[in-house]
Amino acid sequence: MIEFFFDCSSPWTYLAFHNIQPLAKEFGADITWRPILVGGIFNSVNPSVYAQREKPVPLKARYMKKDLADWARSAGLAIKMPPTVFPVNSVKVMRGCLWLGQDMVPFATSVFEAYWGEDKDISQDAVLAEICRKVGIDEQKFFAGIAEQGIKDQLKANTEEVIARGGFGSPTIFVNKTDMYFGNDRLPLIREALQRSKASAA
């Protein structure tokens, strides 16, 4: 019922990843986790993100920092913005999520915490190995898995799919395949969509 296209390199995605899980549980809705590379989306259909980073509007940037802090406090999460390494190359992380399949949640959670909460560079193999050990993943199998061509191809395919379906960033969330929502702040609307879906199925 819920598809969650995401990249761990986005703070708003961290919030949505955290907040959507209890919401889905409340409605008995399954979440299909769909790892993507948000940089691939920006390069293809949303290059304005890069322009905003190069020439931020000071008032807007100041408010965005407050807004993120407000949402993080509301969710009970620690988010340092910006991290020391920003933007970060998340390709290995997202391949790892894909390799783990629907068992990726503990790993992805630890990645989000490491990058946004602990300011660790998640592009580094040593950090990824530490996360693997923390969540009980064989690190040798992990690094072999993320080097598989099939995993690389699937990550690219997921990214291309979300673009084809109208996505332009992370997180992009679909309810019942066609009803698209973007960002953590759309979760109240997703709640309403789940309520409608539940009512129509009754």
Side-chain angles (χ1 to χ4, degrees), residues 41 50 61 68 100 132 157 196:
I41 295 178
Y50 299 131
L68 185 61
L100 288 163
C132 284
R196 289 193 303 272

Side-chain angles (χ1 to χ4, degrees), residues 142-162:
F142 174 86
F143 286 111
I146 65 173
E148 293 172 6
Q149 191 60 46
I151 294 295
K152 296 177 182 180
D153 292 344
Q154 187 58 54
L155 186 59
K156 185 181 179 190
N158 282 3
T159 305
E160 290 172 350
E161 179 186 337
V162 75

